[in-house]
Amino acid sequence: MGIKDFQEFLESECSSACVSVDLLKISRGFVPKRRGPRYGGSGRFCLVVDAESCLDRLYGGFFSDWVCGGQWNRMTAFLTSLIQACHNANMELVVFFDGCLESQKLPEWLTQQLAQKEKVRLVLRHINNKGTPPPKVWWSQPVFLRGALKMALRHLGVAVACSMDDHHQEVIGFCREHNLQGIVAQESVYTIFDPPRYFSSNNLKLTYKGSLETKEYIMDEIAKCLNLNPNRFCIFAALLGNHILTDDDLYDFRCQLAAAEGGKPVKRGQNNRLENSTIKYTVDFIRNLPATDNLDSVGEVVFKGTKNKAELINRFKQSVQYYLNGTQEGFLKYRPRLKMPGSPRQQGSYPGTQNGHAEISGYGDSLGQQPAPQIVIDPPHHNALGELGRRHGYGSSGDASMNNRHLQFNGVDSNDKLGSSSSSSGSSPTCRLSPEGGWPNKGRTNDVDNKGPPVTPEIVRIASERHQKGLMSSWIYQLLTQCEIKLPVILEDDTNRELPSYIDLYRPIRQTVYSVLFNLNKLKIIHENQSKEQGEAPPRSFDVLVKEWIVRRGTNRPSFEIVIAKPVEWKTPSIERMWLGQQADDKNRRLRAFLTCMQSDSPLMLNTNYVPQHLLIMCCVLRYTLQFGRVLQRQELDAFLAMAVSPLLHDVQTMQDLKLPTIQPRGAQLASLFMAGVETAIFANDVCGAPIPWTMCCPWLFFDGKLFHFKLLKANNNTPLIDMCDGQVDQVLRVERMRQAIMENLRVEFAKPLLPNAAMYAHYPFPPYPGHPGHMAYRPGGRGAPPHGAGPQSQKGRGRGILGRSPIDSRGGQLEIAGVVVGSWGPNLSAGRGGRGGMSPQVMSVGRRGMPGRGYLPSRPIRGRSPALYSMGRGLRPTYRPGMYAARGTGRGFRAVRRAPLRVRPRISGRGRAGKPMTMPGPGRGRGVTVDSSGYVD
């Protein structure tokens, strides 16, 4: 999309407009002039942060451990330092998250997902080959990063807001409505909106010297660099291309500009980056226009010679109007009063949380204390998709019937009435599971009957209110209004079928949650009662169709799948009672409904002696995963539980200093799969009325990707559980209890252990297997000696290492300390024919002969000890006969050790060297007894 490429153009061509600043220094010298309804009167320098542009900055930067699943405690520590520094410098932040479905921007979202999928492929290939963290250029947000950020900011008392319809328009509208001082983002669309001040989020850096450095884009300097009147910026942005007027629509226009200027031809396709020369040609074209008051005449010049000129001109006008709505003048005229179901966006409609926290159980506790906003609410199934096209005056939609709806943006005025057909999109009532012929230019969605059952206006009001505050999963509001959700690409391998896709793994949970959200059980009960009263009633279908936008494994074609809600077996309470119920049994009903959705309704899961409250989310996800099939291995389950009870989980400094010897691809995918389950479980918890308080759902209470990988490496090396728990018996008991609760009444089939990967031994001096690195030569038992090149000289031994065990060389070697050989050992050889059995490494010498000390082996046996026993070490060493190895023809071997017979002569009484009498020692003293070994035969 061309408008996104304009940001890079500013960095490279308008460097004078990008000035390095210190936000903390600016905030200390800030003097408030205007006073707004909420934030302007606080006297602080207040900025709105577009979280979608700086997820990496809020996470803490591009440190390499994100691939392990996310270090949430380190993220909270960074946010604490950031918020504390801002507070001390008289600065206040409002963080704005994207909670919109934005059906009109689905082609753009799907293009981003395909790019993300390619990045995931490169990351997994890097880990598989090298076993090291990927470079920061491939940084991808860990799963559930947005939800974790919302919880962390809410915990720190930072105001959080979530957009509902159009993210960029709502961010700039919030900034103007509350008289804030600027925006922190990295979207070129904000340069067209002309905010009070615009700061870069990519360059945001909190330094150790106490400064918050970034770059500020000076709007006046941008206009000077482009030599363009700011009044023409909206037309310029429209001709760069966006979701309304796409790159394909502007292809002919750009080719004409390139031909007129003598430049190289323009490449076709939405994935191609817009060249700087094309942007300069567009600027020159806008500058040379005699007048821009009449957009129709401008459109005639732009789209002359095209077939569908009228339609393109109409979309060009809508695109210009879209940018005008974000400017100061357009906002004063715009100021919408939306009438979409449950959309209470009025002045001051994005309040922050009270005292940094909210209620901890249910939704009725605090909502009853707050006055309901005066809004107009319609049933959500009436025109839910049709309103999206008329939201900002840049399009409209047709609604042929309640069973056949889709968006269109083809030039119909927003004030016109709805047509009787779905316009020119060529739709059909059949359900298409993938777009035909590529994505259309009108931003339409595919036709499918995704009508949801009617929901009470009070439920929609509560959902919209909590959605705006960021207190609820964004999926809930999207489902109530449009029956659609988007499932992004996560870190999972397309070519590996060992682990299922998170889309399929957690789909049964989502189906159950859909039925609870739309009151399917209550509707069935009402229908059954009516049937009993009125006699036999015609059968009625209670299927709720939900559209899930996904990118499947092994395909580069985005599609959507229709998912049918699946009711639970027992009669769950209605959504009104779960959200607004105040009785004593309502909390128990909420918790049981949540456990039912997670398929974890067992007695021990409710026993806090087995499963603490802050670990209930984790245990429910692990229990559900075990029920799905052979997904987890036994040691992987222990790694999850040992991580959750480890005190290192909350030791940020120790975890930061911890260095992983290697990273396993399966461990990285398991972490992503687990965090996707946590996100689904929190979605179910929000739908069921929050039976688990949000303070007990925070991921930093039970998960750290780096610590999980460290425990997993130990578990895969057959480390005992007591060693995985650092020798702490109390941790072992907690792990055993949680495992008992998770596996209660289940017939668990664990996944079979896999052969270790070559990346596991990337930093060891020898390959893990004989032959090619990463390839294990297969040899059945009893088939004779191994082939040449894979014999004893190249076999690997096992020894102790940083993770309990590590490969050691079995060909023999020497141990040197400070350049002095202090020990040596021989090779490992087979003990019999056919390669069966084996011998332990033969210690040749330890220390230097003749030098007493640790490791000294005397040349003569100690009196009172058998020579054989002394030389055996921990076990009995077999007797070696001469020619034992010579018969095998293996070349180098051990020669038999022959010792001369020992003759001990008794001492004769007499005078010694000091003149003391010499006497014979008496027998029976044990240590003083000497043995005549002259009769021994070797």
Side-chain angles (χ1 to χ4, degrees):
M1 187 179 297
I3 189 62
K4 291 186 175 295
D5 298 328
F6 182 57
Q7 184 71 37
E8 298 181 7
F9 178 83
L10 292 178
E11 299 282 350
S12 59
E13 302 294 335
C14 302
S15 57
S16 61
C18 306
V19 181
S20 299
V21 295
D22 181 6
L23 288 178
L24 300 184
K25 184 177 180 180
I26 296 175
S27 62
R28 291 189 186 100
F30 170 70
V31 177
K33 297 180 180 179
R34 297 176 297 176
R35 298 187 177 273
R38 173 177 170 81
Y39 297 99
S42 63
R44 292 178 176 271
F45 184 75
C46 190
L47 299 175
V48 56
V49 180
D50 187 356
E52 303 303 316
S53 301
C54 54
L55 290 174
D56 55 330
R57 299 289 92 191
L58 295 177
Y59 179 62
F62 294 107
F63 55 87
S64 59
D65 302 317
W66 62 269
V67 74
C68 297
Q71 286 190 268
W72 307 119
N73 279 288
R74 185 174 179 181
M75 181 195 72
T76 55
F78 169 77
L79 288 177
T80 302
S81 302
L82 175 64
I83 300 304
Q84 185 64 34
C86 293
H87 181 77
N88 295 338
N90 194 37
M91 181 189 295
E92 186 175 359
L93 300 178
V94 179
V95 185
F96 225 105
F97 290 89
D98 186 3
C100 312
L101 182 66
E102 291 185 326
S103 299
Q104 69 274 16
K105 297 182 181 179
L106 270 177
E108 177 185 348
W109 178 81
L110 292 170
T111 302
Q112 295 174 355
Q113 295 306 306
L114 293 179
Q116 178 67 19
K117 186 177 181 181
E118 177 63 19
K119 188 184 296 184
V120 166
R121 186 187 67 83
L122 296 175
V123 168
L124 290 177
R125 186 179 67 176
H126 176 87
I127 298 175
N128 192 50
N129 293 338
K130 297 187 176 180
T132 58
K136 67 179 183 179
V137 70
W138 291 339
W139 186 91
S140 300
Q141 59 181 10
V143 182
F144 195 58
L145 176 58
R146 289 181 178 86
L149 284 173
K150 290 178 185 178
M151 291 181 177
L153 294 172
R154 183 181 176 187
H155 181 73
L156 296 173
V158 180
V160 176
C162 196
S163 56
M164 302 177 67
D165 308 314
D166 189 286
H167 181 66
H168 295 147
Q169 289 282 357
E170 294 183 33
V171 170
I172 189 64
F174 183 86
C175 180
R176 300 192 190 282
E177 188 174 7
H178 295 280
N179 295 327
L180 304 187
Q181 280 68 48
I183 293 178
V184 180
Q186 198 70 22
E187 291 285 346
S188 55
V189 66
Y190 293 120
T191 62
I192 310 301
F193 290 157
D194 190 18
R197 301 183 76 169
Y198 179 29
F199 301 97
S200 171
S201 60
N202 280 7
N203 299 283
L204 192 66
K205 182 173 65 174
L206 180 64
T207 63
Y208 286 104
K209 61 182 180 181
S211 62
L212 187 60
E213 299 176 354
T214 185
K215 289 185 178 180
E216 181 179 3
Y217 299 100
I218 311 298
M219 298 295 107
D220 294 338
E221 288 294 329
I222 293 176
K224 291 180 181 179
C225 290
L226 298 178
N227 192 17
L228 187 65
N229 193 323
N231 295 331
R232 301 191 177 192
F233 272 17
C234 294
I235 301 177
F236 165 68
L239 293 181
L240 289 181
N242 58 6
H243 60 281
I244 303 173
L245 196 64
T246 63
D247 293 337
D248 288 341
D249 296 334
L250 297 167
Y251 176 74
D252 295 337
F253 168 69
R254 292 170 182 171
C255 290
Q256 295 174 7
L257 291 180
E261 298 290 341
K264 58 182 180 180
V266 181
K267 297 181 180 179
R268 194 180 188 94
Q270 294 185 356
N271 296 332
N272 294 325
R273 179 183 175 274
L274 195 62
E275 299 292 338
N276 290 351
S277 59
T278 305
I279 297 178
K280 293 179 180 179
Y281 299 156
T282 307
V283 172
D284 296 339
F285 173 79
I286 300 298
R287 186 190 308 117
N288 296 329
L289 287 175
T292 57
D293 298 335
N294 190 351
L295 295 180
D296 291 325
S297 61
V298 176
E300 289 286 344
V301 177
V302 172
F303 301 107
K304 63 180 179 180
T306 56
K307 298 180 181 179
N308 51 346
K309 181 190 297 185
E311 182 181 355
L312 292 177
I313 292 176
N314 224 330
R315 290 216 299 271
F316 168 68
K317 294 164 60 177
Q318 296 166 16
S319 181
V320 173
Q321 185 62 38
Y322 175 79
Y323 293 110
L324 285 174
N325 292 336
T327 60
Q328 177 70 26
E329 181 181 357
F331 174 77
L332 295 177
K333 297 179 181 179
Y334 179 47
R335 299 184 69 88
R337 292 296 180 263
L338 300 179
K339 295 186 179 181
M340 186 175 179
S343 177
R345 191 174 74 176
Q346 298 180 351
Q347 187 172 3
S349 62
Y350 290 95
T353 57
Q354 298 180 358
N355 299 327
H357 58 85
E359 71 282 354
I360 61 173
S361 63
Y363 298 145
D365 300 339
S366 66
L367 290 175
Q369 302 174 3
Q370 300 178 1
Q374 301 298 324
I375 57 177
V376 179
I377 299 177
D378 298 328
H381 62 284
H382 289 297
N383 227 2
L385 288 177
E387 288 288 342
L388 286 175
R390 300 191 302 274
R391 197 53 45 82
H392 299 289
Y394 54 81
S396 65
S397 67
D399 190 358
S401 64
M402 298 306 298
N403 297 330
N404 186 15
R405 305 190 295 266
H406 68 277
L407 291 176
Q408 67 167 2
F409 300 92
N410 60 346
V412 180
D413 187 30
S414 62
N415 296 325
D416 294 342
K417 295 183 179 179
L418 296 177
S420 59
S421 64
S422 56
S423 182
S424 60
S425 59
S427 59
S428 62
T430 59
C431 176
R432 296 191 301 244
L433 296 183
S434 62
E436 296 179 359
W439 283 103
N441 297 336
K442 305 175 183 62
R444 63 183 172 93
T445 60
N446 297 87
D447 306 322
V448 64
D449 180 15
N450 61 336
K451 177 184 66 175
V455 182
T456 59
E458 183 67 12
I459 293 300
V460 181
R461 182 190 70 83
I462 296 173
S464 61
E465 185 177 290
R466 294 182 64 84
H467 177 89
Q468 290 179 94
K469 298 178 182 179
L471 306 179
M472 179 182 283
S473 175
S474 301
W475 290 345
I476 297 177
Y477 181 76
Q478 297 171 9
L479 288 168
L480 290 176
T481 55
Q482 304 176 58
C483 279
E484 297 183 36
I485 60 173
K486 296 184 294 188
L487 301 177
V489 174
I490 68 171
L491 193 68
E492 55 184 11
D493 193 358
D494 288 348
T495 62
N496 194 347
R497 302 297 177 179
E498 300 167 359
L499 295 175
S501 173
Y502 85 103
I503 298 173
D504 298 327
L505 178 60
Y506 300 113
R507 175 165 287 175
I509 298 179
R510 295 196 302 270
Q511 289 178 294
T512 307
V513 175
Y514 298 157
S515 67
V516 175
L517 181 62
F518 290 108
N519 278 332
L520 292 193
N521 281 340
K522 182 180 179 180
L523 295 177
K524 286 186 176 181
I525 294 173
I526 294 176
H527 181 69
E528 293 175 358
N529 296 336
Q530 292 178 354
S531 300
K532 294 179 181 179
E533 295 176 357
Q534 302 175 2
E536 294 184 359
R540 179 183 172 186
S541 176
F542 294 94
D543 292 341
V544 176
L545 306 181
V546 177
K547 185 188 297 183
E548 294 181 350
W549 291 94
I550 60 175
V551 179
R552 274 290 180 187
R553 279 181 171 182
T555 61
N556 290 327
R557 191 177 183 86
S559 62
F560 67 88
E561 295 181 359
I562 303 301
V563 179
I564 302 177
K566 181 181 178 181
V568 297
E569 298 178 355
W570 65 288
K571 298 179 180 179
T572 57
S574 63
I575 193 68
E576 292 85 0
R577 186 167 184 180
M578 280 197 294
W579 284 17
L580 303 173
Q582 301 290 335
Q583 298 180 6
D585 294 339
D586 291 332
K587 185 175 182 179
N588 296 331
R589 293 175 182 269
R590 295 185 191 113
L591 185 57
R592 186 185 176 190
F594 167 74
L595 294 177
T596 302
C597 293
M598 298 298 299
Q599 300 182 15
S600 303
D601 192 4
S602 60
L604 290 183
M605 294 295 289
L606 299 174
N607 191 339
T608 55
N609 293 328
Y610 286 81
V611 181
Q613 190 178 18
H614 69 282
L615 300 179
L616 183 58
I617 290 284
M618 182 194 74
C619 292
C620 288
V621 173
L622 293 177
R623 179 180 172 89
Y624 174 81
T625 306
L626 292 179
Q627 297 179 70
F628 187 84
R630 297 180 178 180
V631 179
L632 290 178
Q633 301 175 13
R634 183 181 296 273
Q635 72 272 14
E636 293 169 349
L637 176 62
D638 292 342
F640 275 109
L641 300 179
M643 168 201 61
V645 302
S646 175
L648 296 177
L649 184 66
H650 307 287
D651 192 344
V652 178
Q653 187 61 39
T654 301
M655 294 309 303
Q656 183 176 349
D657 298 337
L658 178 65
K659 302 298 181 182
L660 294 176
T662 184
I663 295 179
Q664 296 179 348
R666 180 177 173 87
Q669 296 178 67
L670 276 177
S672 297
L673 198 65
F674 172 77
M675 288 307 303
V678 171
E679 184 176 17
T680 307
I682 293 177
F683 165 59
N685 184 62
D686 291 341
V687 169
C688 295
I692 305 176
W694 72 270
T695 53
M696 298 290 106
C697 299
C698 302
W700 55 84
L701 297 177
F702 52 81
F703 185 79
D704 184 280
K706 195 173 185 180
L707 181 59
F708 165 70
H709 221 81
F710 183 71
K711 298 291 185 181
L712 183 63
L713 290 175
K714 280 190 171 184
N716 289 337
N717 282 276
N718 299 325
T719 304
L721 183 59
I722 184 66
D723 293 338
M724 290 177 59
C725 296
D726 302 325
Q728 301 297 321
V729 180
D730 57 337
Q731 296 181 26
V732 175
L733 294 178
R734 294 170 63 186
V735 169
E736 295 286 354
R737 289 180 179 179
M738 282 193 291
R739 186 200 297 136
Q740 182 180 353
I742 291 172
M743 301 177 61
E744 183 184 15
N745 300 328
L746 293 182
R747 297 184 60 184
V748 180
E749 293 185 4
F750 288 102
K752 295 181 180 180
L754 305 174
L755 293 177
N757 196 354
M760 181 178 178
Y761 304 96
H763 300 288
Y764 292 114
F766 301 101
Y769 307 119
H772 187 272
H775 174 71
M776 184 174 184
Y778 173 73
R779 179 172 60 89
R783 295 288 182 175
H788 179 70
Q793 66 272 12
S794 63
Q795 290 182 355
K796 301 292 294 183
R798 301 294 291 172
R800 297 188 180 274
I802 185 174
L803 299 175
R805 293 178 181 272
S806 61
I808 62 173
D809 187 25
S810 60
R811 297 175 294 181
Q814 294 179 342
L815 175 63
E816 295 185 6
I817 298 180
V820 178
V821 178
V822 297
S824 63
W825 60 92
N828 293 343
L829 301 177
S830 301
R833 286 189 170 272
R836 293 172 294 180
M839 292 166 43
S840 60
Q842 306 300 310
V843 177
M844 305 302 294
S845 65
V846 177
R848 289 188 294 173
R849 184 178 299 273
M851 178 179 291
R854 186 175 181 180
Y856 165 66
L857 287 180
S859 57
R860 296 171 54 188
I862 300 177
R863 291 187 303 169
R865 297 188 183 181
S866 172
L869 287 178
Y870 180 77
S871 61
M872 279 187 294
R874 291 189 177 182
L876 294 176
R877 176 175 292 179
T879 304
Y880 306 112
R881 298 184 301 276
M884 178 178 178
Y885 296 97
R888 300 180 59 181
T890 56
R892 180 182 176 182
F894 285 112
R895 291 179 297 177
V897 179
R898 298 182 59 88
R899 297 183 179 275
L902 300 178
R903 296 181 179 275
V904 180
R905 285 184 269 178
R907 294 183 180 181
I908 304 175
S909 301
R911 294 287 179 179
R913 184 175 302 176
K916 297 182 180 180
M918 301 176 57
T919 58
M920 284 285 297
R925 291 284 183 175
R927 185 172 179 177
V929 174
T930 58
V931 181
D932 186 4
S933 58
S934 59
Y936 289 1
V937 180
D938 289 338

